[in-house]
Amino acid sequence: MTIIKGRPWALAGLYVAALGAHPAYANAYREKGKTVEIAGSNMMVTPPRDWNRLDQRPGRYAETWTLDGEQLNDVTFYGGVEPGAPLVKERNKKRDPLPKFTTSTLLIEIPELLEGTYRAYKKIGGFKLTGSRPERFLGEQGVYFTYEYIDSDELPRKGEARAVLIGNRLYMATFDAPRLHYFDRTLADFRALADTASISNR
């Protein structure tokens, strides 16, 4: 639960690395105003500005969007996670099992599910839930929560998420970015994007 102070030198290096890697993995253009589906699900978004969707998806139900590279601003959508499935793909089911979404998972337990997934998948130690409240998402009563953690690059990061349970499936949008500068710079873009999310065939 400990959050360390920022490291400007590390952030500068990360920025350079992200810019250099940007063309290689930001390879699916998402044009302003054009509605697209998320991860082959019935979840849809209409970006208010141009975004990039990474071709390498973190899991069957998830896909990642970014403006400057996922290390600087990472928006991940989870489109209808089924009961019994993890949020992201397990690298090794025996040695590194991930927590699963189940039919008994409650809305108030979604932040804990994300925390457990981050700890196992991202190999992080410190994770702190900084806020949580009921909030509508996809037209239904959901949960909004904020958090902080230190990723494997040792940079303090902040996150914000909206989640909802519809038809025994989990729908969620998360935004993660370095706490220093990048989170505040892109937060409004994430919120504007998440506000456009909808689902069909409820």
Side-chain angles (χ1 to χ4, degrees):
M1 297 293 185
T2 302
I3 303 298
I4 64 175
K5 295 181 178 179
R7 298 183 179 183
W9 55 270
L11 185 60
L14 179 63
Y15 179 67
V16 172
L19 289 180
H22 178 70
Y25 57 84
N27 41 21
Y29 183 58
R30 288 293 178 254
E31 185 177 352
K32 173 183 176 181
K34 290 193 173 181
T35 301
V36 293
E37 66 179 26
I38 298 297
S41 73
N42 60 344
M43 184 178 182
M44 316 288 284
V45 295
T46 307
R49 61 169 294 182
D50 296 340
W51 283 79
N52 294 299
R53 190 211 65 192
L54 303 188
D55 271 357
Q56 186 172 1
R57 287 166 46 179
R60 176 183 175 186
Y61 303 96
E63 63 181 48
T64 299
W65 291 27
T66 184
L67 292 173
D68 306 299
E70 63 178 326
Q71 294 299 312
L72 300 182
N73 34 62
D74 172 342
V75 173
T76 298
F77 294 104
Y78 301 85
V81 180
E82 293 181 329
L87 296 181
V88 296
K89 184 178 180 180
E90 292 177 304
R91 296 189 178 100
N92 189 308
K93 295 182 178 180
K94 290 186 177 179
R95 288 186 298 180
D96 298 308
L98 298 177
K100 309 295 192 302
F101 168 68
T102 72
T103 54
S104 62
T105 302
L106 303 175
L107 264 179
I108 59 173
E109 296 173 325
I110 301 303
E112 183 180 346
L113 175 62
L114 186 68
E115 176 183 351
T117 300
Y118 275 24
R119 287 184 181 278
Y121 188 77
K122 296 177 179 290
K123 305 297 183 185
I124 64 172
F127 186 103
K128 180 181 179 182
L129 181 67
T130 54
S132 178
R133 67 171 185 260
E135 185 170 291
R136 295 185 71 80
F137 183 50
L138 302 179
E140 302 287 345
Q141 190 60 55
V143 62
Y144 161 92
F145 58 98
T146 57
Y147 49 89
E148 297 179 351
Y149 67 95
I150 302 172
D151 212 337
S152 56
D153 56 20
E154 298 187 355
L155 280 175
R157 296 178 184 275
K158 292 178 67 176
E160 179 174 304
R162 303 178 191 181
V164 66
L165 303 177
I166 300 175
N168 284 330
R169 289 176 178 253
L170 168 63
Y171 296 83
M172 182 162 61
T174 62
F175 170 60
D176 293 49
R179 184 177 65 188
L180 183 63
H181 180 65
Y182 289 98
F183 183 84
D184 291 337
R185 193 185 75 166
T186 319
L187 180 59
D189 290 306
F190 163 68
R191 289 175 174 173
L193 178 63
D195 284 346
T196 72
S198 63
I199 63 171
S200 59
N201 302 321
R202 291 172 184 266

